[in-house]
Structure formats: structure tokens, C-alpha cells
Amino acid sequence: MKNIVVFTGAGISAESGIKTFRDTGGLWDEYDIKDVATPEAWERNPILVLDFYNARRKQVMEAQPNTAHKALVELEKKFNVQIITQNVDDLHERAGSKKVLHLHGEIMKARSTADPSIVHTLKSSNLLLGDKCKKGSQLRPHIVWFGELVPNMELAYLLVEKADILIVTGTSLNVHPAAGLVEYAPRDSAKYIIDPNEVNLLMEEGFTYIKKNAGNGLPELCQKLLNEK
Ligand code: OAD
């Protein structure tokens, strides 16, 4: 079976009603990264940080996987499909994808501030000041904040190095180290990018550019790949 690695970002969940970060009207227009998505913000004002992620979590719980998430599940019929996502939502999992690696954490989880190996799955949208792990320490969102290491990066490099086909969709490729992942694809791999807006970096790197929303472009590409085999 051929290996397909799909590298996704906020754009794949846009058609499920979840805001992207850097499009006009995106989350980083509304909020300052420094106030809500850094370890310093957590030190300074944990309630603001918790409120920000509680709102994100509520939105994710109300959202449903769209045709793009679902198309990737279909692809598993004939390919070994590995998804690597910068998204913190669980829409790939809820659509039914079996292998999903999250680079920037998972919104439906919280972890102990004393022991990062203690991770809880959340049932409600609200994580509050005073919610503690079994060791008595405050729980924080299980999110990789700006300035923190990306623990799954090394594994992601290894996975991309084995790709026969790499599909990139819904990411502006602005955030490193995640954005650098595309450079690890083998030279002879087939590479596609699906995005309604041009993602500059990739134009010169042997990518086939499909200028469409993920909700249309991804099902079309997946069907083409399934027919080819
Ligand atoms: P961005 O908001 O930076 O980029 C979203 C991309 O999705 C852009 O290239 C859009 O053109 C594209 N897009 C918009 N609608 C789309 C659609 N319907 N179908 C396909 N593509 C669409 O989001 P990311 O690149 O995912 O990190 O952002 C990366 C990281 O920055 C996030 O994981 C988050 C953020 O700060 C942290 O919070 C640590």
C-alpha cells in the first residue's frame, strides 16, 4: 500500500464553521497571541487564557466534520493514510480517520501543570481555574503555545520522509517548525496543495496547486487517487 501523508491546518475545518487564524477576520485579528497563547499569558492571566480556549472548545463541540475530513477516511480504503494536523479540533477523529498526529495539541484535552504526562479528556466545554489533576495541580489546556516545544515534531518528520504522496491543505505555512515539515517529503513523491489562496512557499517546490476550498478540492483529489490505483 502506498503511504499518503496529509498535512492539514485550520482551513480544512473552516467549512465546519471553525475560524482560521490568519485569514481576514481570523482569530488573530480578534485576539493578540501574546494575551492568550503563550506560557507568559498563562502566568499573567490564566482566566483569560482559559476563557479563550473554552470558547474554542465550545465551537469545536458544536461543529461537525465536513466533506474534506470525510474524503480522507475514504482514502484509507486503498492507501495507508497518515494525517498530521496543526489543528487542535477532533474533526479528523470524529470523521473516522484512524491515524491522526496532532502537532499543536488537542482542545478536548487538559493536562496537569505539575506533571505533563497526566492528560485528561474533557467532557464539557469549560476548563476552570480550580480544576485540578489527581496530584492537586491546576489543569491547563493541552495546547502547544507559542514559545513551547512541539513534542511530536520528530515523529512527524519521520512520517513525511516515508510519503509516496503528500497532500497539504488549509495551512498558511506561517508557523514553524510545523511549516518546515513539507521539506522532508522525498524528492520523487507526488505533492499537492489545496488552498483557495496562494501559499507562496510551495509554488516553486514541485507541488501541484489546486486553487479550491478543501471541501471541494479534497474529495475531488481523493477520488482521482482512488481511481488511479
Ligand atoms: P492559518 O489561519 O494561518 O491559515 C489558514 C489557511 O487555510 C490559509 O492558507 C487559507 O487560505 C486556508 N483556507 C481558508 N479557508 C479554506 C478552505 N475552506 N479550504 C482550504 N483552505 C482554506 O492556519 P494554520 O496554518 O493552520 O497554532 O495556522 C497554523 C497555526 O497557527 C495553528 O495551528 C495555530 C495558529 O497560531 C497555535 O495556536 C500554536
Side-chain angles (χ1 to χ4, degrees):
M1 258 194 186
K2 282 191 177 171
N3 294 328
I4 299 191
V5 174
V6 189
F7 182 42
T8 67
I12 195 170
S13 297
E15 288 158 88
S16 294
I18 297 176
K19 275 190 180 179
T20 61
F21 296 94
R22 293 177 186 77
D23 289 299
T24 310
L27 277 176
W28 297 151
D29 271 357
E30 209 178 322
Y31 297 90
D32 193 325
I33 288 176
K34 293 197 293 298
D35 292 336
V36 293
T38 63
E40 293 76 21
W42 176 250
E43 289 295 317
R44 214 169 35 237
N45 192 345
I47 292 180
L48 183 67
V49 174
L50 288 169
D51 283 351
F52 173 75
Y53 286 104
N54 287 346
R56 309 277 75 71
R57 196 174 299 109
K58 184 165 183 288
Q59 207 178 38
V60 166
M61 289 173 84
E62 287 165 0
Q64 298 301 327
N66 65 49
T67 52
H69 300 102
K70 290 176 189 165
L72 295 176
V73 183
E74 287 299 299
L75 211 50
E76 290 184 11
K77 287 183 179 159
K78 289 192 182 171
F79 295 94
N80 179 25
V81 180
Q82 173 70 53
I83 294 167
I84 302 176
T85 187
Q86 295 166 91
N87 297 348
V88 298
D89 68 52
D90 58 356
L91 295 181
H92 283 303
E93 287 91 340
R94 280 203 265 142
S97 283
K98 292 202 187 70
K99 293 188 214 163
V100 184
L101 181 71
H102 287 267
L103 294 182
H104 292 162
E106 295 174 69
I107 191 84
M108 294 312 300
K109 294 181 179 172
R111 74 168 180 269
S112 163
T113 44
D115 178 350
S117 71
I118 302 176
V119 177
H120 292 239
T121 298
L122 297 168
K123 300 272 181 291
S124 108
S125 63
N126 279 342
L127 179 63
L128 303 172
L129 212 55
D131 287 349
K132 294 186 176 156
C133 74
K134 62 186 179 204
K135 291 187 176 169
S137 288
Q138 176 65 40
L139 289 167
R140 59 163 272 182
H142 188 47
I143 300 286
V144 177
W145 286 323
F146 285 88
E148 295 187 316
L149 290 174
V150 182
N152 284 333
M153 217 50 229
E154 291 301 320
L155 178 55
Y157 292 137
L158 293 174
L159 291 166
V160 172
E161 277 170 359
K162 293 203 195 86
D164 297 299
I165 300 170
L166 174 67
I167 303 171
V168 177
T169 188
T171 174
S172 62
L173 294 171
N174 265 301
V175 176
H176 287 270
L181 202 54
V182 295
E183 289 157 30
Y184 286 73
R187 270 176 186 278
D188 59 352
S189 56
K191 294 178 237 168
Y192 300 90
I193 179 158
I194 304 170
D195 201 299
N197 303 303
E198 284 181 18
V199 182
N200 291 331
L201 180 70
L202 298 181
M203 296 303 128
E204 307 142 23
E205 293 182 6
F207 275 78
T208 301
Y209 174 41
I210 300 167
K211 190 176 167 58
K212 287 187 177 174
N213 285 344
N216 295 323
L218 201 50
E220 283 169 22
L221 176 61
C222 290
Q223 200 51 57
K224 176 176 134 3
L225 294 170
L226 286 166
N227 291 344
E228 267 174 13
K229 237 194 127 211

